[in-house]
């Protein structure tokens, strides 16, 4: 037996009989405010203790919590294999991304060692692979190109007017600049993390980040074309610099170095083909084929054996010093010049890192501490800057390799850093004859994933046009204005779209779904009916200073009443009535004066002193009429003055009610109640409160009652603090739901109640 109920709400009839306003609800269940902790109590909470110190230490050094519980038998072998695979990828990518940053290749190796090892101690993600990243490297390259261009390091040739680039002096100056920039990036990230500002990355929406990284990929591609074609191009910086560099490369295509072009094309074809095969047979391979490492080893051997630099003029990496270098203090004089770039790099690097970290954490069932990740990245950059590293982030390609090859924890990162350490100490100098065209080929092939993001345009066109606009504007602004200014413009535009959406929300009139207590938009839902004499108005966004006026205008339009016109007509009618009353007053005054003169003539002049003449009560009331105002009898003295006596019996005074529309000869609106659904509203400001007061005043002026429904407790608090409630607007105008307000209104108007919710049961045998 299967029993199904189409609609079952046993509490519906009870709800219909107990429609409580907010005032009545607070009498039954008084609302209390949560006590705010005092400063003394907060200080007591943060006082130092062994438990608090231990908790803080474990939070700052996550390795202390996870390493003692590390399952050696289950995870160690996978971490070793994964770390070795990622370390092999670090080597070519470190050398290649150093070119993007405009610093010597060995700096890329340093950046693949120090930060990776430090993340093992402070990071909370078990799967991401930190280190050099193309987008961050090209952002650093824009700084080195603008502040340390090649033109600043041209030395004159003895006895001639020619100049030659002093690469040693340029590289030394750029390394100092980049190290200082990296330290400042680390300071920003650590400060934001300690201040619990990890949420700052939420202002970088996914369409913004994807559009930004796609534009960065285009800039990376253009920056590597000079190595592919083997031509010398002047360094460009500032807005439109990418287009200027591309135009210069096109003009120098006749000077292409055929050897560099052939070398890069062969390398790109080989790397791309092997990567596709590796992806196709990933399930059968124990680890991805290290084609990038194979490519640089083979190309270095060919370059050294065939003398490619001497015979064909192909540019090579050059000197790669072996061994570690001692830490060097930063040049703080650069801080003022790079502070804006440092903040942009800090935010972008963290955004990429935390997004990948959360993806893999969700996949494998653990949590990533966003603020600790910010601190960990900050420490990696801050400490790495003293050892001539450039800023790092997280690489998607290396992270995928680390996860697919069996990586389970941060131990894989330590293994990868040890591979790089061996390279720095013993192997690095063997790659001095590596052609730069090979590194450019590696970089370009690794941009394949970012270029796939162009498919977002089609997806966003179908799903969300506003997000598509953010993507396109971010892409175009980043290409035109360079990476730093493009990011600022993109974030500003993204926030403006939020404001725009709240300024132009969807306004709707709600109706009751048949036989339910549910109310939906009458335009979108077919079987909805409006309650006679009642309008239920809802906005899809909160009401605040930016859209409060628009809310009031939309309300008056949707209500179907020309409120302003009707109020104007009422004011004119009242003004006309007042003039008529003043005219009647003057006529009464003239009549009174005439009556007094008649009374004076009727009095006897020979009477003694001040004798009173009694006037018959009925006659006096007829003649004096309005002079006595119907309050009691009156007499007239010998001088003709009337004296009103005290009434002998109390009479009911005339009610001083305000004139109604009907009494003024105006048609009363068919609408008697207006319900404002405030369910979507999560806060109100002073402008909103002022507009609400005006709405209540205007509609009450035309004899339409206004009610608020669905107000959150925080909204009610803000209404109280904003002096919204008064003698004319009380909490009896607030209801918990639309149905409660409808129940109250229909009962007060004597209308038939909305049909109660019915329950249908069907039994199938």
């Amino acid at each position: 037996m299967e029993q199904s109920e189409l609609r079952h709400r046993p509490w519906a009839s009870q709800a219909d009989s107990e429609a409580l306003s907010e005032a009545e609800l607070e009498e039954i269940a008084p609302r209390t405010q949560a006590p705010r902790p005092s400063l003394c109590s907060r200080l007591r909470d943060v006082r130092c203790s062994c438990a608090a110190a231990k908790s803080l230490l474990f939070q700052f050094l996550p390795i202390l919590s996870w390493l003692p519980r590390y399952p050696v038998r289950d995870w160690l072998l996978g971490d070793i294999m994964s770390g070795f695979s990622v370390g092999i990828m670090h080597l070519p990518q470190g050398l290649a991304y150093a070119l993007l940053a405009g610093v010597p290749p060995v700096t890329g190796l340093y950046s693949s060692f120090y930060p990776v090892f430090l993340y093992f101690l402070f990071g909370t993600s078990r799967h991401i692979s930190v280190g050099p990243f193309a987008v961050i490297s090209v952002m650093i390259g824009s700084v080195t190109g603008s502040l340390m261009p090649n033109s600043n390091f041209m030395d004159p040739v003895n006895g001639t007017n020619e100049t030659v680039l002093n690469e040693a002096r340029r590289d030394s100056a750029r390394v100092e600049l980049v190290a200082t920039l990296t330290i400042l990036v680390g300071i920003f990230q650590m400060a934001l993390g300690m201040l619990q500002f990890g949420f700052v990355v939420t202002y970088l929406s996914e369409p913004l980040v994807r559009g930004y990284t796609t534009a960065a990929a285009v800039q990376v591609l253009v920056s590597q074309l000079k190595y592919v074609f083997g031509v010398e191009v002047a360094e460009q910086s500032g807005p439109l610099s990418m287009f200027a560099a591309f135009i210069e490369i096109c003009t120098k295509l006749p000077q292409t170095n055929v050897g560099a072009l052939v070398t890069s094309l062969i390398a790109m074809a080989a790397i791309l083909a092997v990567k596709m095969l590796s992806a196709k047979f990933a399930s059968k391979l124990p680890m991805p084929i290290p084609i990038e490492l194979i490519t640089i080893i083979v190309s270095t051997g060919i370059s050294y054996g065939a003398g490619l630099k001497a015979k064909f003029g192909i540019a090579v990496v050059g000197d790669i010093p072996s061994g570690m270098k001692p830490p060097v203090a930063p040049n703080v004089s650069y801080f003022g010049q790079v502070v804006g770039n440092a903040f942009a790099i800090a935010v972008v690097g963290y955004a990429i890192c935390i997004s990948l970290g959360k993806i893999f954490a969700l996949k494998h069932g653990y949590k990533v501490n966003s603020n600790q990740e910010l601190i960990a990245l900050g420490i990696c950059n801050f400490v790495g800057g003293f050892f001539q590293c450039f800023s790092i982030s997280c690489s998607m390609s290396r992270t995928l390799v680390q996860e697919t090859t069996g990586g389970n924890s941060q131990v894989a990162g330590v293994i990868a850093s040890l591979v790089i350490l061996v390279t720095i100490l013993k192997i690095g100098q063997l790659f001095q004859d590596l052609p730069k065209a090979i590194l450019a080929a590696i970089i370009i092939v690794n941009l394949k994933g970012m270029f796939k993001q162009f498919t977002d345009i089609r997806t966003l066109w179908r799903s969300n046009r506003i997000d598509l606009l953010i993507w396109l504007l971010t892409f175009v602004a980043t290409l035109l204005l360079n990476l730093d200014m493009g990011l600022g413009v993109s974030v500003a535009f993204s926030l403006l779209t939020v404001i725009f959406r709240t300024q132009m929300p969807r306004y709707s009139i709600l109706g009751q779904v048949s036989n339910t207590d549910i109310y939906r938009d009458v335009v979108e839902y077919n079987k909805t009916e409006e309650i006679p004499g009642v309008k239920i108005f809802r906005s899809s966004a909160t009401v605040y200073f930016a859209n409060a006026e628009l809310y009031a205008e939309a309300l008056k339009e949707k209500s179907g009443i020309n409120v302003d016109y009707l109020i104007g007509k009422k004011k004119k009618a009242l003004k006309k009535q007042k003039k008529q009353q003043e005219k009647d007053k003057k006529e009464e005054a003239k009549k009174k004066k005439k009556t007094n003169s008649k009374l004076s003539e009727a009095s006897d002049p020979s009477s003694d002193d001040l004798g009173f003449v009694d006037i018959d009560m009925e006659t006096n009331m007829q003649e004096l009429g309005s002079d006595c105002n119907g309050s009691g009898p009156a007499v007239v003295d010998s001088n003709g003055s009337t004296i009103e006596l005290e009434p002998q019996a109390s009479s009911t005074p005339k009610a001083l009610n305000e004139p109604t529309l009907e009494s003024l000869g105006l048609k009363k609106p068919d609408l008697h109640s207006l319900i404002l659904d405030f369910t979507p509203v999560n806060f109100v400001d002073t402008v909103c409160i002022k507009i609400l007061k005006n709405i209540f005043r205007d509609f009450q002026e035309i004899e339409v009652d206004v009610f608020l429904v669905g107000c959150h407790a925080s909204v009610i608090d803000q209404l109280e603090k904003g002096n919204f409630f008064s003698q004319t607007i009380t909490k009896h105008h607030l209801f918990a739901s639309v149905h409660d307000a409808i129940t109250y209104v229909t009962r007060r108007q004597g209308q038939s109640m909305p049909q109660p919710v019915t329950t249908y049961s069907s039994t199938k045998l």
Side-chain angles (χ1 to χ4, degrees):
M1 181 183 293
E2 180 184 355
Q3 184 174 2
S4 63
E5 294 189 352
L6 302 179
R7 187 81 174 164
H8 180 63
R9 290 194 179 181
W11 43 264
S13 59
Q14 182 180 359
D16 289 344
S17 62
E18 297 180 4
L20 301 179
S21 66
E22 182 65 25
E24 296 167 337
L25 184 61
E26 290 184 2
E27 291 179 2
I28 299 174
R31 187 163 50 90
T32 59
Q33 294 183 351
R36 293 184 178 180
S38 62
L39 180 60
C40 295
S41 62
R42 291 181 180 179
L43 292 176
R44 283 195 300 269
D45 292 339
V46 299
R47 64 184 177 180
C48 184
S49 64
C50 293
K54 182 180 178 181
S55 175
L56 186 62
L57 180 63
F58 274 62
Q59 182 179 352
F60 185 69
L61 281 171
I63 188 175
L64 297 178
S65 60
W66 65 262
L67 188 59
R69 301 194 301 268
Y70 181 78
V72 178
R73 292 184 178 180
D74 298 333
W75 286 6
L76 184 58
L77 182 60
D79 282 339
I80 292 175
M81 291 292 296
S82 175
F84 184 74
S85 303
V86 173
I88 291 174
M89 292 184 67
H90 265 299
L91 176 58
Q93 289 187 6
L95 296 173
Y97 293 155
L99 289 182
L100 288 178
V103 291
V106 70
T107 309
L109 298 180
Y110 296 152
S111 302
S112 299
F113 170 67
Y114 290 105
V116 176
F117 183 80
L118 290 170
Y119 188 83
F120 164 73
L121 301 175
F122 299 98
T124 60
S125 175
R126 302 202 314 250
H127 293 89
I128 64 172
S129 173
V130 298
F133 181 57
V135 175
I136 302 299
S137 298
V138 77
M139 293 177 75
I140 297 170
S142 67
V143 178
T144 57
S146 60
L147 298 181
M148 297 290 179
N150 288 338
S151 57
N152 292 357
F153 305 97
M154 304 300 291
D155 293 340
V157 179
N158 293 334
T160 64
N161 293 328
E162 297 180 357
T163 57
V164 63
L165 177 63
N166 190 332
E167 293 186 359
R169 191 160 60 90
R170 180 201 64 183
D171 292 345
S172 177
R174 286 186 172 182
V175 167
E176 183 183 34
L177 173 65
V178 170
T180 303
L181 173 65
T182 303
I183 290 174
L184 190 56
V185 169
I187 292 173
F188 275 127
Q189 289 176 334
M190 287 191 296
L192 291 174
M194 291 178 180
L195 294 173
Q196 306 292 301
F197 271 28
F199 68 88
V200 71
V201 74
T202 58
Y203 293 105
L204 302 180
S205 63
E206 184 179 355
L208 187 149
V209 172
R210 293 177 72 87
Y212 184 80
T213 53
T214 306
V218 174
Q219 292 209 1
V220 171
L221 174 63
V222 173
S223 69
Q224 296 306 297
L225 291 179
K226 60 183 179 182
Y227 299 114
V228 173
F229 292 102
V231 295
E232 294 290 335
V233 178
E235 292 182 337
Q236 307 285 343
S237 62
L240 302 177
S241 58
M242 186 199 73
F243 296 95
F246 182 75
I247 292 172
E248 186 175 357
I249 291 172
C250 292
T251 57
K252 291 188 176 181
L253 285 180
Q255 305 173 20
T256 298
N257 187 316
V258 179
L261 179 60
V262 172
T263 300
S264 59
L265 290 178
I266 293 174
M268 280 189 282
I271 295 171
L272 190 59
V274 173
K275 278 182 174 288
M276 293 175 64
L277 289 174
S278 182
K280 185 176 181 180
F281 299 101
S283 59
K284 300 180 180 180
L285 296 173
M287 61 178 289
I289 302 172
I291 184 59
E292 295 169 340
L293 180 62
I294 296 172
T295 302
I296 65 171
I297 292 174
V298 173
S299 59
T300 301
I302 295 174
S303 175
Y304 176 77
L308 297 182
K309 180 180 180 182
K311 292 182 179 180
F312 301 100
I314 297 176
V316 296
V317 169
D319 182 44
I320 300 179
S322 59
M324 312 295 289
K325 290 188 177 182
V328 179
N331 187 346
V332 295
S333 63
Y334 289 136
F335 278 0
Q337 302 177 57
V338 299
V339 61
N341 303 92
F343 186 78
I345 293 172
V347 173
V348 172
Y350 171 67
I352 295 169
C353 201
I354 195 63
S355 60
L356 285 177
K358 288 184 176 181
I359 289 172
F360 287 96
L362 182 64
K363 180 178 179 180
H364 293 275
Y366 64 93
K367 292 184 178 180
V368 173
N369 188 329
S370 58
N371 289 306
Q372 179 59 29
E373 282 294 295
L374 197 49
I375 293 174
L377 278 182
I379 292 174
C380 293
N381 284 317
F382 180 76
V383 177
F386 288 95
F387 293 93
Q388 300 183 359
C389 301
F390 55 81
S391 298
I392 55 94
S393 183
C394 175
S395 169
M396 183 65 175
S397 59
R398 293 196 307 267
T399 300
L400 287 173
V401 169
Q402 179 169 322
E403 192 245 357
T404 55
T405 54
N408 296 294
S409 71
Q410 295 90 323
V411 173
V414 175
I415 305 299
S417 66
L418 293 178
V419 174
I420 299 300
L421 178 61
V422 173
T423 304
I424 294 173
L425 295 177
K426 299 295 183 182
I427 307 175
Q429 57 186 353
L430 300 178
F431 296 103
Q432 294 181 1
D433 291 314
L434 174 64
K436 290 184 178 180
I438 298 296
L439 295 179
I442 293 173
I443 292 172
I444 292 172
V445 171
N446 282 324
L447 296 176
K448 177 186 174 183
M450 292 187 187
F451 286 132
K452 285 183 178 179
Q453 294 177 157
F454 278 111
T455 58
D456 292 348
I457 296 176
R458 181 178 59 186
T459 304
L460 293 175
W461 175 263
R462 296 174 178 175
S463 60
N464 194 311
R465 304 286 175 87
I466 299 295
D467 284 345
L468 174 61
L469 188 61
I470 293 173
W471 196 102
L472 292 174
L473 187 132
T474 302
F475 179 79
V476 174
T478 305
L479 291 182
L480 295 177
L481 304 176
N482 220 335
L483 293 168
D484 48 358
M485 288 187 288
L487 179 63
V489 170
S490 303
V491 172
F493 179 77
S494 180
L495 295 178
L496 283 176
T497 60
V498 176
I499 298 174
F500 174 76
R501 293 189 212 195
T502 60
Q503 279 190 309
M504 304 295 292
R506 181 181 179 84
Y507 300 111
S508 54
I509 296 295
L510 307 185
Q512 184 183 27
V513 180
S514 301
N515 299 327
T516 70
D517 59 353
I518 299 173
Y519 297 83
R520 292 291 183 264
D521 190 346
V522 295
V523 177
E524 293 183 351
Y525 291 81
N526 295 329
K527 294 186 178 181
T528 54
E529 296 180 359
E530 293 188 49
I531 307 299
V534 181
K535 288 287 183 181
I536 310 169
F537 181 75
R538 175 190 287 173
S539 169
S540 62
T542 193
V543 185
Y544 68 114
F545 69 91
N547 63 2
E549 291 285 351
L550 300 175
Y551 179 88
E553 293 175 4
L555 171 62
K556 292 178 180 179
E557 180 182 352
K558 291 278 188 180
S559 66
I561 305 173
N562 194 337
V563 180
D564 297 331
Y565 174 78
L566 196 55
I567 292 176
K569 293 286 287 184
K570 182 179 179 181
K571 287 182 178 179
K572 288 182 179 179
L574 287 172
K575 189 176 181 180
K576 183 178 180 181
Q577 186 185 59
K578 187 177 180 181
K579 287 183 178 179
Q580 183 64 35
Q581 289 175 350
E582 291 177 354
K583 184 178 179 181
D584 293 342
K585 244 184 181 181
K586 290 180 180 179
E587 291 179 356
E588 289 175 359
K590 290 180 181 179
K591 188 176 180 181
K592 176 183 176 182
K593 187 177 180 181
K594 185 177 180 181
T595 304
N596 289 339
S597 63
K598 288 182 178 180
L599 290 174
S600 299
E601 292 175 357
S603 61
D604 185 8
S606 61
S607 60
D608 297 334
D609 297 332
L610 293 176
F612 287 97
V613 180
D614 293 334
I615 306 297
D616 180 75
M617 180 67 179
E618 184 178 354
T619 305
N620 184 47
M621 289 297 294
Q622 291 176 355
E623 291 184 352
L624 298 181
S626 61
D627 183 47
C628 297
N629 293 323
S631 58
V635 294
V636 182
D637 64 5
S638 58
N639 295 325
S641 300
T642 61
I643 301 176
E644 185 175 341
L645 303 178
E646 293 292 333
Q648 297 179 356
S650 62
S651 61
T652 305
K654 184 180 179 180
L656 299 176
N657 292 333
E658 184 180 350
T660 62
L661 293 175
E662 293 179 349
S663 66
L664 294 173
L666 300 176
K667 183 181 179 181
K668 187 178 180 180
D670 297 332
L671 183 68
H672 60 73
S673 298
L674 176 66
I675 298 175
L676 306 181
D677 187 359
F678 260 42
T679 305
V681 177
N682 52 18
F683 75 93
V684 292
D685 56 9
T686 55
V687 177
C688 174
I689 293 174
K690 180 180 178 181
I691 294 297
L692 283 177
K693 286 183 178 181
N694 293 342
I695 290 172
F696 271 79
R697 180 200 64 200
D698 291 346
F699 279 92
Q700 287 175 352
E701 188 77 13
I702 59 173
E703 302 174 18
V704 176
D705 294 326
V706 185
F707 301 93
L708 293 180
V709 300
C711 293
H712 303 288
S714 59
V715 173
I716 296 175
D717 288 338
Q718 292 164 0
L719 291 174
E720 290 175 344
K721 294 176 181 178
N723 297 322
F724 173 72
F725 298 105
S726 61
Q727 291 183 350
T728 56
I729 307 175
T730 66
K731 288 187 178 179
H732 290 283
H733 292 87
L734 271 64
F735 287 88
S737 67
V738 174
H739 194 66
D740 285 343
I742 290 294
T743 302
Y744 171 79
V745 167
T746 51
R747 283 181 175 175
R748 190 186 63 174
Q749 294 293 328
Q751 299 176 0
S752 60
M753 290 288 297
Q755 294 183 2
V757 180
T758 55
T759 302
Y760 301 96
S761 299
S762 61
T763 304
K764 295 182 180 180
L765 298 177

